Structure formats: C-alpha cells, structure tokens
Amino acid sequence: MKARLMTAMLALMLGASMAPRAEDIDLFVGAQASSTDLPSVLIILDNTANWTQAFTNEMSALTSVFASLPTDKVRVGVMFAAETSKADNNVQGGYVRAAIRPMNEVNKKAYSEMFAYMDVNNDKGNSGQSSLVMAEAYRYFSRGIPRSGNYKAKTDYKGNTGADWSKSATSDDSKKAMQAIYALDGNALDSKTATQYNPYDKDGSGCAKKFIIYISNGPSQDSSSIISDATAMLKQ
C-alpha cells in the first residue's frame, strides 16, 4: 500500500480535497468549526498472518501519513487484532493499540514512530476474526465494556510500561515508541484490567463525525459462530 492511497482515504473521511500538484503524502483539510469537535478516525489494521507480504509497504505508508497529517485537524487511533502471549488473556477480537487522540505535533510524531518500529512477527495477531474486531471498535466508540480489549499486554492503558511484553525479540526501539504513546493523556483504558473504555473526546460535545478505516490483507473468513458472537456484542 502506497502512502498516497492511505492519505487519500484519510482525506476522503475528513471531507478534504487534494491539491492538484500536491506531493503524494500531502493532506489538505478545511478549518473545523471547533477545535474540541474534531472528526475521529479509528484505523483498524489487519495484523494477522496475511500482513507479512504487505507489511513493509503498509508500515512505510502509515509512518509517512501520520508524520504528514495537518496539525490539530483530526483525532486518530489504531486498533489491532488481539495477540495471546503469556501476558495476554485468550479472548479473541481486537484491542486499542493507540487510543484516539488529537493529532498535534507531539502525538503525530509518537504515532508515526510506532509504525516505524513495528515488527512483522512480534506484533502479529493470532487470527483475523474481523467481526469481533469491528464489534470491539463499536464498544470503544460507545465507551462500552471491553470484551477483548483489556487484559492485553500492548493495549493503550494508563501506566502501561511494556514490562510484560513476553516476546523477547521485540526491539528496544519498539518498546520505547509504545511507551511514549502510553504516557500520553487519553488512554483507552485506565488499567490493563479496566472494565470500561474511557471517552476519547471528553473535551468535545460528542457530536463530531466518527469514521473507521479498515486496512485488510485478505477477505474475512469468520465462521457463523464468530459472526453470531459479534452480533450479540452489538446488541449489548
């Protein structure tokens, strides 16, 4: 995936227009009515086994896009498919890797570096149960009860130091990049075991537009039981 494709998707979500002679990674958005009602975008990245071939291009694109986002125009967060290491529970679905936050200069840099130091093996999710990931995204947007998003080592929760990441091959740079994000205000959860998602727009009216960008590396192959579980989650 090229940077211009990712940028174009974000531009479309934000109602932006691309300048005819802009560079591929340039993004132009109009002024928002209020700095507290920024549009919110949750990027769900398919980090399961199918991402191996696309990994390098996707990480390069995401690194460039976050670095090039216009300052203070949008909130963005990132969700991954769950891992099940010794430091995670075995509940499948999705988890918030980086909470939805305003993309100011500090946050843009932190999110860009997160992708720059991503590891194709150590950041891989266990399965592509996309229905459950989407249902978890709904719970995050609605400040609901996590099903798969808590009890995960890499969830964006307050006080997460990365100390319980069980995969020893994870680089120090990757851990430092995530620690910089965990240290920011606006964590998705108050603790690893928290039973309710935090509001990501507590300084706004709650009326701003919300979007999901799903970056898939293959068709969903969810079984009927997985779809049934996800449907039940949306009814709760």
Side-chain angles (χ1 to χ4, degrees), residues 1-225:
M1 179 180 294
K2 296 182 179 180
R4 60 174 175 268
L5 176 58
M6 180 62 64
T7 303
M9 287 193 294
L10 279 169
L12 179 62
M13 290 293 184
L14 297 173
S17 60
M18 300 299 294
R21 297 183 180 179
E23 294 295 331
D24 285 344
I25 58 174
D26 283 346
L27 179 63
F28 297 87
V29 297
Q32 299 298 324
S34 169
S35 61
T36 60
D37 283 328
L38 302 176
S40 297
V41 179
L42 180 63
I43 296 175
I44 299 178
L45 180 59
D46 179 3
N47 62 315
T48 58
N50 289 332
W51 83 335
T52 302
Q53 184 174 359
F55 177 82
T56 300
N57 287 339
E58 286 182 354
M59 296 309 105
S60 176
L62 287 162
T63 300
S64 297
V65 166
F66 273 95
S68 303
L69 282 173
T71 304
D72 297 325
K73 295 292 186 180
V74 62
R75 303 175 194 268
V76 185
V78 181
M79 178 173 276
F80 276 7
E83 299 178 35
T84 52
S85 70
K86 293 180 179 179
D88 302 297
N89 64 10
N90 61 359
V91 180
Q92 297 290 352
Y95 73 98
V96 180
R97 180 66 177 250
I100 295 174
R101 293 182 172 92
M103 287 295 104
N104 55 36
E105 290 294 343
V106 172
N107 295 350
K108 284 167 51 181
K109 182 176 184 293
Y111 281 48
S112 180
E113 289 183 352
M114 170 180 65
F115 287 109
Y117 295 116
M118 202 69 66
D119 187 279
V120 66
N121 294 312
N122 295 324
D123 290 305
K124 187 179 295 182
N126 277 357
S127 63
Q129 299 176 351
S130 56
S131 299
L132 294 178
V133 178
M134 286 291 184
E136 191 73 21
Y138 170 76
R139 291 196 170 197
Y140 177 40
F141 271 122
S142 62
R143 200 187 174 191
I145 300 171
R147 177 185 179 275
S148 60
N150 53 3
Y151 294 92
K152 296 293 190 288
K154 298 176 184 176
T155 289
D156 186 342
Y157 65 84
K158 188 175 182 179
N160 189 354
T161 65
D164 61 352
W165 289 19
S166 64
K167 295 180 178 178
S168 58
T170 301
S171 72
D172 289 339
D173 286 334
S174 179
K175 285 188 177 181
K176 288 178 181 177
M178 289 314 306
Q179 287 166 352
I181 291 177
Y182 301 147
L184 298 170
D185 291 334
N187 304 93
L189 296 171
D190 279 336
S191 68
K192 185 176 180 178
T193 61
T195 56
Q196 185 175 25
Y197 280 112
N198 290 325
Y200 56 87
D201 61 348
K202 59 185 177 182
D203 57 342
S205 66
C207 298
K209 293 181 179 180
K210 305 171 182 66
F211 304 98
I212 289 177
I213 296 177
Y214 180 45
I215 304 174
S216 174
N217 292 309
S220 174
Q221 298 180 355
D222 291 357
S223 66
S224 58
S225 63

Side-chain angles (χ1 to χ4, degrees), residues 131 134-139 228-236:
S131 299
M134 286 291 184
E136 191 73 21
Y138 170 76
R139 291 196 170 197
S228 178
D229 287 344
T231 302
M233 286 174 63
L234 295 173
K235 294 179 179 179
Q236 296 174 1

